[in-house]
Amino acid sequence: MSIRFDKLGVAIAAITCYGAFVAPFATFRANRIVAGEPRSIIEALPQPLGLVLLAILVAAGLVALFKTPLGARLGGSVVALASLALLIGLAGSHLTPEGNTFARISPASGFWFLIFSFTLLLADVLTRLELSPVGRVVVLVAAAVAIWLLLASGQWDSLSILKEYANRADSFWNEAKRHVQLALGSLVAATIVGLPLGILCHRVEVLRDGVLNVLNIIQTIPSIALFGIMIAPLGWVAANIPGASALGIRGIGAAPAFVALFLYSLLPVVANTVVGLAGVPRAANDAARGMGMTGWQRLTNVEFPLAFPVILTGIRIVLVQNIGLATIAALIGGGGFGVFVFQGVGQTAMDLVLLGAVPTVALAFAAAIILDAVVEYLATRKSAEVALA
Amino acid sequence: MKAWIPLLLRFCLLVLLIAFLTNPLWFEPLLKPLTQNGAPAIYNQGSLLSLALLHLRTVAIATVAAMVVAVALAILVTRPVGAEFLPLSRSLVNIGQTFPPVAVLALAVPAVGFGEKPTLIALFLYGLLPIFENTLTGLTTTPANIVEAARGAGMTGWQRLLKVELPLSVPVMLAGIRLSVVISLATATIGSTVAAKTLGEVIIAGLQSNNLAFVLQGGLIVAALAVLIYDALSALERMAARRMGQVAQAA
């Protein structure tokens, strides 16, 4: 029997070696804004746990390096990621001097390299397993529950990002609520306006090019400018239309952010509705007509259901894009996770940046996985129905 | 509509853009009503022209880097050697796209410092997906009979790639590059939140001093650049497609 190397495994093993033995595992800082000092795995963890972690990492790296069964690779990556997640918290409490509330411990480059290499291994395994849409959502929920348990157990409380959180627990959840409201609310508004507009564009050819061109041009305006441009008209509305300011419409704040996100969301929704409706097979439409369906019946019973997966793809693009763009709202006082990112950049306090960036990335990532799964689920069900018919 | 009208419109836009960048003061009366309390109507903390050129330079560097990596990756995963990486590279590039630009910028700062570098990293990541996906589409949809004919003519795998598959994929590849450039032009403005020299500086100065004229001129210059570059690349694409169409027919 010959020993064979896995091509991706070679890269993973190399990154693991670098992350475990060369790069620092954790950073120690005397307070939240000074430069940090590096700590290796052995220095950062109480013995013998440091050696145990190294042994686990080496073993998992070897599993990745050679051609091994998928089950072993799955196990190796999960065990490595879980022990990294557990022990980085321990490094936090081990490195913090007794009673010192100023010291900050954060994961350093070595930790992130290790997380990257084993996430790569896990992603490879999950891709090769070709999970069903439901399976992917189950994996996502399991990962979310595991992270929630770690957070709830207080295992990570001594890490710097959670110390920033502890100082801002109330405002964190307010900004989180605002972020989700902005991203989802503008999506709902864009769907309510965009679907009829898309249907109209599909039916009335004269409108199509004009509407799509205008929406395309809106997309080319940089997001920070569009957010800023909205300040003026909404300020005018608040000042001149009775009752508008009572509804919370103001020149700065959430209202202009909401309108800007709404405008960005329109193009994918309208364009995908048009493409989806255009892709409805002629035969299906003719058959429906032959059965005596009215235009409205054809739309709701034939065209719309057939076009739905394409429209949903547009909605997926919008949601992921909006979750990211909502961070810009903070620049015009609109709130959201961007508040922490821009405050952190201003104070060069990277832990604060992470407090805003990590939840944003997690939200966008979860939204992408869930909506991709829904799109695929609907598409496979549809093709199964067609096959049966 | 007559065919020359859109062309004339583009030309007027180009002339306007060049006039605005070289002589912004001509346009002061137009923007003056948007300012309050006698604030300046034209950005006065640097030349708009040099900011626009720096903006274009940042986008160009990031796009070229994304192009090299994305095309190389797409070639690798469509060869027998790299075929096993195809699904993984697809999901990785997709995951890269879900990272919000602001988050990428802010997270890159501790690693590379403030300025142009974090912006280049963010633009590079965002540029990858469209170019990779389109090159992949181009390389995997080369008509099988043409590849067979090339094999029959005695071409090696390397020759087939360089002389047949890549040239035939150029139009689709260009479409990906066009998408990537337009996204980068808008995203580069966000780079100014971490002190990169781009047109975003004008917009952010406007947001900070509540000066709508700054926000509007910064936004409109970027939008005009995006529209013009988009059209130029579309024209290039049509030219390439025509040439490739003739080649395919001749073969």
Side-chain angles (χ1 to χ4, degrees):
Chain A
M1 185 187 121
S2 66
I3 296 174
R4 287 190 306 154
F5 290 112
D6 184 84
K7 281 173 196 154
L8 180 70
V10 175
I12 289 176
I15 302 173
T16 305
C17 263
Y18 178 77
F21 296 106
V22 183
F25 183 65
T27 308
F28 173 86
R29 281 169 303 161
N31 63 52
R32 69 193 275 261
I33 52 173
V34 295
E37 302 157 25
R39 295 281 189 271
S40 71
I41 290 184
I42 298 293
E43 290 164 340
L45 291 172
Q47 288 323 322
L49 279 175
L51 291 173
V52 171
L53 178 60
L54 280 180
I56 291 173
L57 294 175
V58 169
L62 287 174
V63 169
L65 181 60
F66 299 109
K67 285 229 184 274
T68 42
L70 274 187
R73 302 174 83 78
L74 182 65
S77 58
V78 171
V79 169
L81 285 172
S83 25
L84 282 167
L86 278 171
L87 292 176
I88 190 69
L90 200 62
S93 41
H94 179 66
L95 286 175
T96 310
E98 198 70 44
N100 183 336
T101 53
F102 298 109
R104 288 286 192 269
I105 315 295
S106 45
S109 61
F111 174 81
W112 295 117
F113 274 117
L114 290 168
I115 290 284
F116 172 75
S117 79
F118 289 111
T119 310
L120 198 61
L121 183 60
L122 185 60
D124 184 46
V125 174
L126 292 179
T127 318
R128 285 200 221 170
L129 282 176
E130 290 175 2
L131 290 177
S132 67
V134 180
R136 290 203 300 267
V137 174
V138 169
V139 170
L140 176 72
V141 171
V145 169
I147 292 173
W148 183 78
L149 281 177
L150 271 171
L151 284 170
S153 71
Q155 178 73 22
W156 284 342
D157 281 357
S158 52
L159 292 179
S160 54
I161 173 169
L162 284 177
K163 290 198 170 163
E164 295 290 343
Y165 167 74
N167 290 336
R168 295 176 173 75
D170 289 342
S171 68
F172 180 84
W173 290 108
N174 281 336
E175 301 303 356
K177 210 173 96 193
R178 173 58 65 77
H179 199 99
V180 173
Q181 277 172 351
L182 279 175
L184 277 182
S186 57
L187 169 68
V188 171
T191 314
I192 293 173
V193 176
L195 277 183
L197 193 60
I199 294 170
L200 200 66
C201 286
H202 173 67
R203 295 269 164 106
V204 189
E205 208 157 327
V206 204
L207 271 177
R208 193 180 308 157
D209 284 350
V211 170
L212 288 180
N213 266 336
V214 170
L215 293 179
N216 256 319
I217 288 177
I218 291 177
Q219 295 273 318
T220 65
I221 300 174
S223 46
I224 50 175
L226 191 62
F227 278 77
I229 291 169
M230 285 303 136
I231 293 175
L234 285 170
W236 186 86
V237 167
N240 293 295
I241 293 183
S245 55
L247 285 173
I249 296 176
R250 266 174 214 90
I252 57 164
F258 186 88
V259 177
L261 286 175
F262 165 76
L263 288 176
Y264 274 126
S265 312
L266 272 181
L267 177 72
V269 175
V270 175
N272 278 45
T273 307
V274 171
V275 171
L277 290 175
V280 173
R282 229 196 146 76
N285 243 327
D286 286 345
R289 217 188 298 259
M291 285 166 67
M293 284 191 184
T294 62
W296 179 249
Q297 282 174 327
R298 263 187 298 137
L299 181 69
T300 51
N301 292 333
V302 181
E303 291 183 289
F304 194 74
L306 282 175
F308 192 60
V310 185
I311 297 174
L312 205 60
T313 313
I315 290 179
R316 177 243 192 243
I317 297 171
V318 170
L319 186 58
V320 174
Q321 174 186 293
N322 274 3
I323 291 173
L325 279 177
T327 45
I328 312 273
L331 281 179
I332 54 167
F337 286 128
V339 170
F340 303 122
V341 174
F342 290 117
Q343 267 179 19
V345 169
Q347 305 172 2
T348 61
M350 281 310 141
D351 303 321
L352 192 50
V353 171
L354 284 175
L355 184 63
V358 171
T360 314
V361 172
L363 266 183
F365 188 59
I369 290 185
I370 292 174
L371 281 177
D372 276 342
V374 174
V375 171
E376 200 185 311
Y377 179 74
L378 287 177
T380 47
R381 219 187 46 177
K382 191 129 293 157
S383 55
E385 274 170 17
V386 171
L388 280 176
Chain B
M1 213 184 339
K2 292 215 166 60
W4 53 268
I5 294 180
L7 209 64
L8 186 72
L9 281 176
R10 304 294 194 282
F11 184 71
C12 293
L13 185 62
L14 181 66
V15 171
L16 260 178
L17 180 66
I18 293 174
F20 191 89
L21 287 177
T22 48
N23 286 302
L25 289 178
W26 291 354
F27 297 83
E28 197 173 1
L30 274 178
L31 290 165
K32 200 71 194 171
L34 294 172
T35 61
Q36 291 164 349
N37 309 327
I42 298 294
Y43 187 63
N44 53 1
Q45 292 151 39
S47 132
L48 284 174
L49 181 64
S50 73
L51 279 179
L53 291 177
L54 283 171
H55 192 108
L56 289 177
R57 198 188 69 155
T58 308
V59 171
I61 297 175
T63 307
V64 169
M67 210 166 80
V68 171
V69 172
V71 172
L73 201 62
I75 291 176
L76 180 76
V77 298
T78 48
R79 302 303 103 188
V81 196
E84 59 180 294
F85 292 115
L86 179 60
L88 178 68
S89 56
R90 236 195 191 133
S91 34
L92 279 186
V93 176
N94 262 319
I95 291 172
Q97 203 76 2
T98 59
F99 276 67
V102 176
V104 175
L105 280 173
L107 293 178
V109 168
V112 296
F114 283 92
E116 198 188 9
K117 280 187 208 152
T119 315
L120 285 175
I121 293 177
L123 294 188
F124 169 75
L125 278 181
Y126 280 85
L128 278 180
L129 180 73
I131 306 180
F132 177 72
E133 279 291 333
N134 280 39
T135 312
L136 210 56
T137 311
L139 287 176
T140 48
T141 53
T142 316
N145 56 350
I146 294 186
V147 179
E148 271 317 302
R151 209 192 298 265
M155 286 190 181
T156 64
W158 190 240
Q159 282 173 326
R160 279 203 305 275
L161 174 68
L162 284 183
K163 295 196 172 150
V164 180
E165 294 174 60
L166 273 183
L168 281 176
S169 316
V170 164
V172 193
M173 221 189 280
L174 274 176
I177 294 172
R178 176 170 51 111
L179 263 182
S180 152
V181 168
V182 171
I183 296 173
S184 293
L185 276 169
T187 312
T189 54
I190 303 178
S192 291
T193 57
V194 293
K197 282 263 170 203
T198 72
L199 287 164
E201 213 177 88
V202 183
I203 301 168
I204 289 175
L207 288 178
Q208 279 166 351
S209 60
N210 207 358
N211 184 338
L212 192 62
F214 283 8
V215 177
L216 200 63
Q217 64 193 272
L220 288 182
I221 295 173
V222 177
L225 282 173
V227 169
L228 289 171
I229 294 176
Y230 183 92
D231 284 342
L233 288 175
S234 305
L236 201 68
E237 213 177 292
R238 280 194 298 272
M239 241 165 65
R242 257 202 307 275
R243 276 192 56 187
M244 287 312 136
Q246 283 164 1
V247 170
Q249 270 161 22

